Amino acid sequence: MPRKKWEIPERQATDEDVYLNRRKFIRRAGLGTIGLLAGCIPEKLLNPATLVDPTKYLGPTIIEPIPPSEWYPAPTNDEFSTLDRPLTDEAVAAKYNNFYEFSTSKDVWRYIDNFEPAPWTVEISGLVPEPKTYDIDYLIGIMDLEERLYRHRCVEAWSMAIPWTGFPMRDLIDFVQPLSSARYVRMISFFNPEVAPVQWDRSDWPWPYTEGLTMAEATNELTLLVTGVYGHEMPKQHGAPLRLVTPWKYGYKGLKSITKIEFTSEQPATFWNTLAPHEYGFISNVEPQVPHPRWSQARERFITTDSNPTELRDTLPYNGYAEYVAHLYE
Ligand code: MTE
């Protein structure tokens, strides 16, 4: 496993040159650049056994985040660098979205101008040793971003293929070290009817949009917290500044514009399951043989380009990701 940014390897604890590489060094509040003070660093900070323990770096110890100007393009994860189908055109993906806060049809881009995804914070709460609210640029800046090509399957039976940029959710979980009593992760989007007209018009819906995963799902290799698409920052309609992507599940699990991540012992209520429990479950894996109460899921309308807008394909079990996740549901 490659090291994460907050895991400082031994050679970095002893090699001043590496310390001075600003992408990977740590600063202690009030101490200035640690590398310049190598002679007088407390032993516990130089002990690699301590340095690789992320729990030691919560609180006043600061990890130097990479600034947003250096986030894109992120390196491709070789395991997810090809797909069995072409990518959907970027412009098509940006004009065919589900983001019900702004529109109940696909033309979300027309209604999203007033939404400001910056400045933004994400609150980490519930069953964690240190509940805390993070500035989004800090949170993203301390994670290792990577690009992955994923199939994207909506419960409405349309699908796309999208290059997401983000970081594995399990990296965030490693960083915040939830308590052993945490069994679920609950994620919450924003509530602001002044900029999101449907939150006003449909005030009877259970806003804010909420989703949830089991801890095993949240820590699965596939589960990505996404910040960008097509090699750059994510446009607002895809869920800026931070969204979830779980490619083996129907797209509605992929909550956009996350404001809060809470670790819980009980299964959290979710937006669609609250609104229509007989149609939308909590697990919501892509299962071609299980029809939606109102339509079949056996086939999907794959959206590629404007000139060749859709192609009918067989839906794949777990959207083609069975090798990564089927064991979770045996
Ligand atoms: N997140 C929020 N906050 N609000 C939403 O309405 N729609 C979901 C999901 N995340 C939704 C959301 C649904 S139904 C789908 S299919 C995907 O976002 C669509 O993601 P995309 O528009 O980037 O393709």
Side-chain angles (χ1 to χ4, degrees):
M1 276 266 288
R3 251 177 240 280
K4 305 304 174 192
K5 283 199 189 74
W6 63 89
E7 298 173 339
I8 308 299
E10 183 175 12
R11 61 186 164 73
Q12 278 184 284
T14 52
D15 181 341
E16 189 165 317
D17 290 335
V18 180
Y19 267 129
L20 293 172
N21 172 357
R22 66 183 305 277
R23 295 179 72 98
K24 293 274 179 180
F25 75 90
I26 59 170
R27 270 189 284 134
R28 291 204 74 202
L31 271 187
T33 307
I34 229 172
L36 299 174
L37 297 168
C40 51
I41 296 166
E43 190 53 34
K44 65 174 180 178
L45 261 185
L46 290 177
N47 177 347
T50 315
L51 289 169
V52 296
D53 181 354
T55 60
K56 300 290 183 297
Y57 290 95
L58 298 173
T61 300
I62 297 166
I63 304 164
E64 183 75 2
I66 293 180
S69 59
E70 295 178 29
W71 292 350
Y72 307 102
T76 306
N77 180 324
D78 290 341
E79 194 165 348
F80 305 105
S81 60
T82 56
L83 281 177
D84 58 349
R85 57 196 74 186
L87 288 182
T88 301
D89 274 11
E90 177 173 4
V92 174
K95 291 196 168 173
Y96 194 91
N97 301 96
N98 279 339
F99 205 164
Y100 282 87
E101 287 85 337
F102 298 99
S103 172
T104 51
S105 55
K106 301 289 181 269
D107 56 348
V108 176
W109 61 277
R110 292 180 195 276
Y111 304 96
I112 204 162
D113 275 357
N114 294 335
F115 175 58
E116 286 296 343
W120 195 270
T121 57
V122 176
E123 183 186 342
I124 309 278
S125 67
L127 300 170
V128 281
E130 196 178 349
K132 200 164 166 176
T133 298
Y134 292 87
D135 175 73
I136 190 70
D137 288 352
Y138 176 77
L139 197 62
I140 298 173
I142 64 167
M143 295 290 154
D144 288 318
L145 295 181
E146 59 182 58
E147 184 177 77
R148 298 185 183 194
L149 276 44
Y150 274 167
R151 288 178 284 274
H152 177 48
R153 173 63 157 80
C154 178
V155 74
E156 297 161 347
W158 55 265
S159 67
M160 295 187 187
I162 301 205
W164 304 108
T165 300
F167 56 91
M169 186 165 197
R170 68 182 178 194
D171 287 359
L172 179 74
I173 290 175
D174 276 352
F175 179 62
V176 301
Q177 296 277 303
L179 306 178
S180 56
S181 48
R183 296 176 61 217
Y184 296 90
V185 190
R186 176 176 183 239
M187 281 151 281
I188 302 174
S189 191
F190 69 95
F191 182 68
N192 186 355
E194 278 179 28
V195 300
V198 183
Q199 290 187 328
W200 182 263
D201 297 343
R202 301 307 310 257
S203 57
D204 53 322
W205 286 4
W207 307 110
Y209 197 102
T210 308
E211 259 305 337
L213 296 173
T214 65
M215 283 299 281
E217 293 172 332
T219 53
N220 184 271
E221 182 178 355
L222 294 177
T223 306
L224 209 59
L225 284 168
V226 162
T227 63
V229 280
Y230 297 93
H232 53 71
E233 187 180 314
M234 190 156 50
K236 301 184 209 181
Q237 59 269 36
H238 278 300
L242 187 71
R243 72 172 291 175
L244 175 72
V245 168
T246 46
W248 75 100
K249 294 177 176 288
Y250 290 122
Y252 64 86
K253 295 296 288 185
L255 175 126
K256 296 178 172 182
S257 304
I258 299 172
T259 64
K260 185 170 174 177
I261 298 177
E262 185 184 5
F263 294 88
T264 66
S265 56
E266 304 290 328
Q267 182 178 305
T270 64
F271 182 83
W272 287 110
N273 185 245
T274 305
L275 208 50
H278 53 292
E279 298 195 345
Y280 307 106
F282 180 81
I283 293 295
S284 312
N285 292 333
V286 175
E287 291 179 287
Q289 76 286 6
V290 180
H292 184 278
R294 290 181 279 134
W295 58 83
S296 165
Q297 295 290 20
R299 309 262 283 161
E300 65 194 41
R301 206 163 49 78
F302 178 58
I303 302 174
T304 54
T305 66
D306 268 335
S307 52
N308 174 24
T310 56
E311 177 190 319
L312 273 184
R313 300 182 73 106
D314 287 341
T315 303
L316 301 173
Y318 298 106
N319 203 20
Y321 296 101
E323 64 179 301
Y324 296 94
V325 293
H327 67 277
L328 296 177
Y329 309 101
E330 275 157 9

